[in-house]
Amino acid sequence: METVILDDPAALGRVAADAVVALLERRPDAVLGLATGSSPLPVYEELVRRHEAGKVSFARARAFTLDEYVGLPEDHPERYRTVIEREFTSRVDLRADALHSPDGTAEDIPAACAAYEDAILAAGGVDLQILGIGSDGHIAFNEPGSSLASRTRIKTLTRQTRSDNARFFDDDVDAVPTHCLTQGLATIMAARHLVLLATGRGKAEAVHHLVEGPVSAMWPATILQHHPHVTVLLDPAAAGRLQLAPYYRETWASKPDWQGI
Ligand code: GLP
C-alpha cells in the first residue's frame, strides 16, 4: 500500500489523473472503475481539463461504477449513474454505451447483481478503480460487517451513511434510500490498481484504520491491505491520525519520477 500525503485535493486529483492518463496511453481500451462521492471530484475535474486540452481520450475506454441506490427513478438527479454522467463521463468522449452501472431499478435484484459481475468479467476486469471511503470505513457501499469475500449484492445503508449522504437530498435523511446495490469487497479487490482518495478531518479515523489498523470487516476498507497495488491519496487532515505520516511524506519526496503510482 502506498500512502501519499499532499497539500490539497487538486494535487491529489493530478496524481490520480496522471495514473489514468498513463494507463490509457498504454491501453486505450482500458476498463476504469468510477466512484461517486465528493472525494474523486478533483480527479474528474483534472481529467476533463486534460481531455479538453487534447491530452487524453476515453473514446475506446470502458467504465464501471461501484454502486447504486435501490429504487431511485431513472430521472432522479442523485441516482449514481446520473451523478457520474453529470460530473464526468458526459464531459469527456467516453461512449454512452461504454458506461456500466448496477441496475437499482431492477425487479430481480439478485439477477441484476449477477449480470453486473458477469459484465465486469466479460470486459476483462477493471484496470484502475477509483475509490472514496465513508467515515465508517466503507468502500463503495460495503458497510461495516460486510463479508470480506463479498460480490455485487444488495445492502442496507447504515444510518451514519444515510446521514452523511443527506446533503445530496436537501439535508433530509429520510429521503436517502435505505438500500443499495454495491460491488462487493472481493469484486473491488479483483481490480488491478486501486486508487483511494480521502480528504478532510471527517475521514481521519477511517483512514487510520485503512492504512495502519488490523484487517477487519468492522472497517471494510482495511481489506485493501491484502491488495498488491493500492495507492491511498490523502490531504493532511485525512492523514491526521497516521503514525507513520513522516515516513510516507519522505517516501513520496524521494520517489523516482519515472515510477508513477
Ligand atoms: C458514498 C459512496 C462511496 C463514497 C462515500 C464517501 O457512500 N457510495 O463510494 O466513497 O460515499 O463519499 P464522499 O467522498 O463524498 O465523502
Side-chain angles (χ1 to χ4, degrees), residues 16-233:
D18 284 345
V20 173
V21 171
L23 168 66
L24 288 168
E25 275 168 8
R26 280 197 314 274
R27 194 184 305 181
D29 64 345
V31 178
L32 302 176
L34 303 177
T36 44
S38 34
S39 312
L41 292 180
V43 187
Y44 301 147
E45 287 304 323
E46 183 64 23
L47 287 172
V48 168
R49 232 187 325 272
R50 294 189 196 190
H51 171 67
E52 286 168 353
K55 293 188 174 139
V56 63
S57 169
F58 300 82
R60 293 178 54 202
R62 282 92 33 90
F64 287 83
T65 65
L66 280 173
D67 46 11
E68 185 58 273
Y69 290 114
V70 168
L72 285 189
E74 289 200 358
D75 59 355
H76 195 288
E78 292 308 323
R79 192 174 158 244
Y80 273 178
R81 186 186 174 91
T82 309
V83 171
I84 277 289
E85 286 170 346
R86 184 171 64 230
E87 308 284 6
F88 181 47
T89 59
S90 69
R91 301 167 66 201
V92 297
D93 57 347
L94 187 87
R95 292 189 330 270
D97 65 356
L99 175 65
H100 305 270
S101 57
D103 182 2
T105 63
E107 289 204 354
D108 186 341
I109 296 270
C113 293
Y116 201 57
E117 288 281 330
D118 290 347
I120 295 172
L121 273 183
V126 171
D127 290 301
L128 188 154
Q129 175 66 57
I130 294 168
L131 292 168
I133 185 169
S135 59
D136 62 1
H138 71 250
I139 49 174
F141 267 139
N142 293 282
E143 296 283 29
S146 287
S147 161
L148 299 179
S150 49
R151 291 280 172 183
T152 303
R153 68 214 183 289
I154 190 168
K155 285 292 287 182
T156 308
L157 297 174
T158 61
R159 181 87 350 216
Q160 171 77 56
T161 297
R162 291 178 69 224
S163 92
D164 285 350
N165 290 0
R167 66 192 193 279
F168 300 114
F169 293 82
D170 298 325
D171 287 323
D172 177 7
V173 71
D174 295 323
V176 183
T178 53
H179 290 82
C180 63
L181 301 188
T182 180
Q183 285 190 30
L185 293 170
T187 319
I188 294 167
M189 288 289 284
R192 287 180 270 278
H193 183 193
L194 305 176
V195 179
L196 184 146
L197 293 100
T199 51
R201 272 183 54 195
K203 300 293 172 69
E205 187 182 12
V207 166
H208 154 73
H209 287 280
L210 159 67
V211 179
E212 296 180 343
V215 175
S216 159
M218 276 305 285
W219 293 92
T222 58
I223 188 65
L224 302 193
Q225 292 179 25
H226 282 285
H227 194 285
H229 192 184
V230 181
T231 311
V232 178
L233 300 174

